[in-house]
Amino acid sequence: MSSRRSKTKADKAASPAAPRQAKPQDANYKKHEADLINLANKAKANTWDKKAVQQTYIVFKALTLIALLATYSNVSQLALSPVYGSIPSAIYHYKLTIAGCFIGWSTNVILNDNLPIKTEEILPVYALTIPAIQAILYGFSDQLGPRWGPVVTEALTLGPVTILSAATIADYLTQIEIGWLPSSIAESLPGIASWGILRLAEKEVAGFLSSHVGTAFVYTRLGLELVLAGLYTIFAPSRWVLLALPALFHTAFLNPHVQTTTAMASLQEALTAQNITLIDRQESVTGYISVIENSAIGWRLMRCDHSLLGGEWVYIRGVPIPVKEPVYSVFLMLEAVRLVETEVPVADKNAKALVIGLGVGTTPTALVDHGINTTVVEIDPVVHDFAVRHFGLRENNPAVLEDAVSYTTKLVKEAPETYDYIVHDVFTGGAEPVDLFTLEFLQGLNSLLKPEGVIAINYAGDFRLPAPRVVVRTILEVFPACRVFRESAADEETADKQGQDFINTVIFCRKIDAPLTFRPAVEADYLKTRGRAIYLEPKFEVDVQELLGAQDEWGILRKNRTEMMAEWHVTSATGHWRIMRQVVPPRVWELW
């Protein structure tokens, strides 16, 4: 029995097991487990996506602030140029920008801990007050002078914007996770990259503004400042903006630099106190252009930033003059290009002239009146428009409103040896445009002259600096026969007292190596004006060899080494600023 029972058990053990039924809860468990894994994967993916979006947004905000600061840096310089000139305004601008960025970047934590509101919320408030601050500070320009005036003004306007922007950018970029980089690089990279992007953006914005200034209200100095303030407000909206309402009211109704009816009335009232009338004004590619008139003294002038492009005497004792006389004798001296004697004289009716730089149009109008086929090259369309409408510019060819360098380069290829006369008159702002005095540019002008052609070059500068020697030496490298004449006689005593010898000169040159002499002027050359009878024939000649000296320390000016003129330009421009303050009252420059 026992054996049978054992066998039966063994048989049962050896027999195949019956298939097991899957329990419903087992399937649910596996499905639930798969769902959990899927959700975990999605959570990981969502976390990474969210972090990527957050990091990108932070970088975007930082780049936006950098772009706004780069724009404000350029706009600040534009705003200063009518009061101080572009060169004095830029003397310490770069250093101030560096200092502001360093202070803001290094003190962002301190600012956040001690300021009642975020730095980004202060930006729109301060940006809205800047036009009012500038208008007040301009009134002290004569006391501050051309060197420290821009420093003080930007320290109280652009400086805080730079500090607040840098601090806010630092706050943003500390949230960027770049721990995968070595610590030394991760700590320094955001600051270095921000500075590099800022400098690049400043350059790009400067190029854009140079061709758009004055084309619409948003591209005027005050328009740009208001647009930037609006963008800061959109960037960081807060109730604190209400604090800027008084300053905004001043800008809208009292600031003379905004072309509103109320502001214009206020400006005219202030100018009337100086016996000045504002005839026209417009911002343009070369600066702030305006036409002003003093009926008591009798002159009408065209202004570009903190310099004068020329003018005319239009009244004598309040009575209009039938034939206008230029206020600067140098423009009459330029007309003596017609008086240079050549082996084959050319009649005026057969002559062709190229005038580079228009001003109020004194010289080209005279050439046209003599019957010479004259073409004017002027980069600024507003200068040309004002010369036509307010100074009676006469033309017998359409003006070429282009950059002189690119235009003459093209002309050399298309029409060499075209002109009997070239007048080169491009001074503005206290210093010559360096590109128009380089060896390469002058060689192009030489190619445009006929073999018997003559060129007259107006150069204004401080003859106690090396710059005039460099320019004259460069001219002599191209033109073999030249003579240099001052607008007025040298006065060493006055030059010693003022510490400068800033003067207009005209350099007459022939294309060929032959004596340069002038025929005597006759009545027809004077165009019925007394000024030409006095100033047309050059009188105060400069000894070229004495001017150049025995040592050639600086060489000639080439387009790839114009930077050597920068330091001299600063000295020349600040001296010119003081001269302009003697010609026109300081308050007129400040109100622009």
Side-chain angles (χ1 to χ4, degrees):
M1 293 253 331
S2 61
S3 62
R4 280 201 301 266
R5 281 198 296 268
S6 300
K7 184 177 180 181
T8 302
K9 289 180 180 179
D11 292 341
K12 287 181 179 179
S15 62
R20 182 182 177 186
Q21 297 292 326
K23 295 181 179 180
Q25 57 267 33
D26 293 340
N28 290 337
Y29 174 79
K30 290 182 178 180
K31 183 176 182 299
H32 182 63
E33 184 180 29
D35 289 341
L36 288 175
I37 293 172
N38 188 39
L39 286 172
N41 290 333
K42 285 184 177 181
K44 289 180 180 178
N46 287 338
T47 301
W48 189 91
D49 290 344
K50 184 177 180 181
K51 183 174 291 186
V53 170
Q54 289 175 340
Q55 296 283 289
T56 302
Y57 180 60
I58 291 169
V59 172
F60 171 76
K61 290 203 297 182
L63 290 175
T64 300
L65 271 187
I66 290 173
L68 291 174
L69 179 58
T71 305
Y72 222 120
S73 175
N74 282 281
V75 173
S76 177
Q77 289 287 280
L78 287 174
L80 289 172
S81 62
V83 181
Y84 294 104
S86 58
I87 295 175
S89 297
I91 295 174
Y92 298 109
H93 174 76
Y94 177 71
K95 293 179 180 179
L96 189 142
T97 304
I98 292 178
C101 288
F102 176 78
I103 293 170
W105 190 272
S106 59
T107 63
N108 67 309
V109 175
I110 297 174
L111 292 174
N112 286 327
D113 290 343
N114 292 276
L115 291 175
I117 59 176
K118 296 179 180 179
T119 53
E120 65 180 7
E121 293 179 341
I122 302 175
L123 272 170
V125 179
Y126 205 84
L128 286 166
T129 64
I130 284 178
I133 295 172
Q134 289 172 333
I136 294 170
L137 291 176
Y138 291 157
F140 298 94
S141 66
D142 212 45
Q143 292 82 6
L144 294 171
R147 282 185 175 269
W148 293 109
V151 175
V152 172
T153 305
E154 287 202 315
L156 296 175
T157 54
L158 177 65
V161 170
T162 305
I163 293 171
L164 293 169
S165 297
T168 305
I169 293 167
D171 290 340
Y172 292 157
L173 295 184
T174 53
Q175 303 173 51
I176 297 296
E177 297 181 6
I178 50 176
W180 46 273
L181 289 173
S183 59
S184 59
I185 297 177
E187 290 176 2
S188 59
L189 180 61
I192 295 173
S194 298
W195 175 252
I197 294 170
L198 174 64
R199 295 299 295 163
L200 178 62
E202 281 182 317
K203 183 178 179 180
E204 293 300 317
V205 171
F208 176 82
L209 290 179
S210 66
S211 59
H212 288 79
V213 170
T215 56
F217 174 74
V218 294
Y219 291 127
T220 63
R221 287 155 172 79
L222 264 293
L224 285 164
E225 288 185 335
L226 292 174
V227 167
L228 286 167
L231 291 174
Y232 279 123
T233 304
I234 295 171
F235 183 83
S238 75
R239 67 181 185 278
W240 297 102
V241 173
L242 297 175
L243 294 174
L245 285 178
L248 194 58
F249 175 85
H250 177 276
T251 300
F253 297 104
L254 302 176
N255 194 319
H257 311 132
V258 181
Q259 296 188 25
T260 61
T261 304
T262 307
M264 280 291 289
S266 174
L267 174 60
Q268 289 287 18
E269 182 180 352
L271 290 176
T272 300
Q274 304 287 332
N275 293 319
I276 302 292
T277 301
L278 176 65
I279 296 176
D280 210 342
R281 66 173 180 172
Q282 186 173 337
E283 297 181 35
S284 192
V285 294
T286 60
Y288 168 79
I289 313 296
S290 68
V291 177
I292 56 176
E293 186 174 282
N294 187 319
S295 56
I297 298 177
W299 50 247
R300 177 180 293 180
L301 305 173
M302 187 190 295
R303 165 189 180 177
C304 177
D305 279 346
H306 202 281
S307 182
L308 297 176
L309 299 182
E312 294 178 339
W313 297 106
V314 293
Y315 298 101
I316 294 180
R317 300 183 184 89
V319 179
I321 301 174
V323 180
K324 306 297 187 294
E325 299 269 4
V327 297
Y328 287 113
S329 60
V330 67
F331 300 123
L332 302 179
M333 291 169 59
L334 287 168
E335 296 173 28
V337 70
R338 295 176 51 254
L339 306 183
V340 175
E341 295 179 308
T342 59
E343 285 70 15
V344 183
V346 57
D348 285 340
K349 64 179 181 179
N350 299 323
K352 296 186 69 174
L354 180 69
V355 179
I356 299 173
L358 176 60
V360 301
T362 300
T363 303
T365 294
L367 295 178
V368 169
D369 288 346
H370 284 298
I372 297 173
N373 188 334
T374 304
T375 300
V376 171
V377 182
E378 169 58 50
I379 192 173
D380 196 323
V382 174
V383 170
H384 177 262
D385 177 49
F386 283 8
V388 171
R389 292 196 289 115
H390 303 302
F391 295 91
L393 171 67
R394 289 184 286 280
E395 301 171 284
N396 50 23
N397 283 300
V400 178
L401 302 179
E402 295 182 27
D403 167 54
V405 174
S406 57
Y407 175 73
T408 55
T409 300
K410 178 177 62 177
L411 201 60
V412 166
K413 299 176 182 177
E414 297 175 354
E417 297 191 350
T418 298
Y419 298 101
D420 299 281
Y421 309 121
I422 293 179
V423 176
H424 181 295
D425 181 21
V426 294
F427 173 84
T428 184
E432 70 283 349
V434 179
D435 291 342
L436 301 187
F437 285 88
T438 62
L439 177 73
E440 293 79 5
F441 182 74
L442 294 172
Q443 286 173 334
L445 297 187
N446 183 284
S447 299
L448 293 176
L449 278 175
K450 293 178 180 178
E452 293 286 325
V454 182
I455 186 171
I457 302 172
N458 178 14
Y459 176 79
D462 185 351
F463 273 68
R464 293 197 167 188
L465 295 175
R469 296 197 292 274
V470 173
V471 169
V472 171
R473 186 174 282 109
T474 305
I475 293 171
L476 289 171
E477 188 76 14
V478 178
F479 298 98
C482 297
R483 294 174 68 182
V484 182
F485 293 87
R486 295 170 59 101
E487 186 177 22
S488 59
D491 185 345
E492 292 296 330
E493 183 178 344
T494 301
D496 289 338
K497 184 177 180 180
Q498 296 179 347
Q500 63 175 0
D501 184 19
F502 196 98
I503 191 70
N504 279 301
T505 58
V506 179
I507 304 154
F508 295 94
C509 300
R510 296 188 64 180
K511 183 171 182 175
I512 62 174
D513 189 2
L516 194 153
T517 57
F518 299 91
R519 67 169 174 81
V522 298
E523 190 65 31
D525 296 319
Y526 302 145
L527 297 175
K528 301 179 180 180
T529 63
R530 295 174 58 191
R532 287 179 175 84
I534 300 171
Y535 300 112
L536 175 61
E537 296 176 280
K539 298 179 178 63
F540 308 105
E541 187 164 7
V542 176
D543 187 316
V544 174
Q545 295 306 318
E546 182 180 334
L547 171 65
L548 297 180
Q551 299 293 327
D552 181 4
E553 301 178 46
W554 304 101
I556 60 177
L557 185 63
R558 297 179 182 272
K559 66 179 181 181
N560 61 350
R561 59 188 301 262
T562 57
E563 67 283 348
M564 69 177 179
M565 303 287 281
E567 183 180 346
W568 306 327
H569 275 180
V570 170
T571 304
S572 180
T574 53
H576 179 262
W577 184 89
R578 293 184 174 89
I579 293 173
M580 290 294 98
R581 292 286 170 127
Q582 297 171 9
V583 176
V584 176
R587 191 61 182 150
V588 177
W589 297 110
E590 294 164 355
L591 289 170
W592 58 279

